[in-house]
Amino acid sequence: MKKVVPVIIRHPTQGLEILAFRHPLAGSQLVKGTIEQGEKYDEAAIRELFEEAGLTAEPNPKFIGSFMLKSNHQDWHFYLCETLAELSETWVHHCHDGGGLNFEFFWFPLHQKPREDWHETFQGALSFLKKILII
């Protein structure tokens, strides 16, 4: 199964941070979703960012790599997205998928080790992103 992960980063003074959220039922994670049949991967990244975070990404996000999850054989494709919106430190977005849930968004410092509330698949994705984004 192919998944897309739209990535938004920022560079505060203390190091690189990535946009993440707390799912009320599944802990901390990154925005991701399934690529629909016939959909271009970059367009799926833009759609998923809008559906899960309420953010409108600029066209043509940059492909930054793929990560294969060995546990469930999912291919995750990462796209660096940009938005013109001023993003707060934290905010809540009501996502209509899955029956309608409130996702609490925050910035996660990539130099930090994820806590136990991060599912192991997202911990693997963070390790992958750390390798490709921090040189």
Side-chain angles (χ1 to χ4, degrees):
M1 185 177 300
K2 296 184 186 308
K3 301 285 185 177
V4 67
V5 183
V7 175
I8 293 188
I9 58 172
R10 70 178 188 176
H11 305 273
T13 55
Q14 63 269 39
L16 195 64
E17 294 179 336
I18 188 167
L19 184 65
F21 70 96
R22 285 179 197 83
H23 189 289
L25 306 174
S28 295
Q29 53 187 262
L30 303 173
V31 173
K32 79 159 179 50
T34 303
I35 300 166
E36 295 175 358
Q37 187 171 352
E39 188 175 32
K40 293 180 181 177
Y41 290 22
D42 61 337
E43 292 173 357
I46 291 170
R47 177 184 52 77
E48 285 295 336
L49 188 63
F50 182 75
E51 288 177 3
E52 291 196 6
L55 298 175
T56 302
E58 292 294 298
N60 305 311
K62 179 184 177 190
F63 174 71
I64 56 174
S66 295
F67 175 74
M68 168 64 93
L69 292 175
K70 294 179 177 80
S71 60
N72 57 9
H73 303 288
Q74 288 183 351
D75 284 328
W76 286 17
H77 303 276
F78 296 81
Y79 282 84
L80 191 58
C81 295
E82 294 184 22
T83 180
L84 296 179
E86 281 290 322
L87 301 179
S88 301
E89 286 298 310
T90 62
W91 72 91
V92 175
H93 174 71
H94 184 76
C95 180
H96 295 285
D97 289 353
L101 298 169
N102 287 332
F103 293 165
E104 299 174 18
F105 282 85
F106 64 97
W107 295 97
F108 181 77
L110 270 180
H111 68 275
Q112 280 187 7
K113 183 178 181 348
R115 293 176 305 192
E116 60 278 349
D117 69 325
W118 285 85
H119 188 277
E120 68 182 63
T121 57
F122 289 102
Q123 290 184 31
L126 286 170
S127 293
F128 171 77
L129 286 168
K130 186 184 285 189
K131 290 175 189 170
I132 64 173
L133 293 174
I134 299 177
I135 298 173

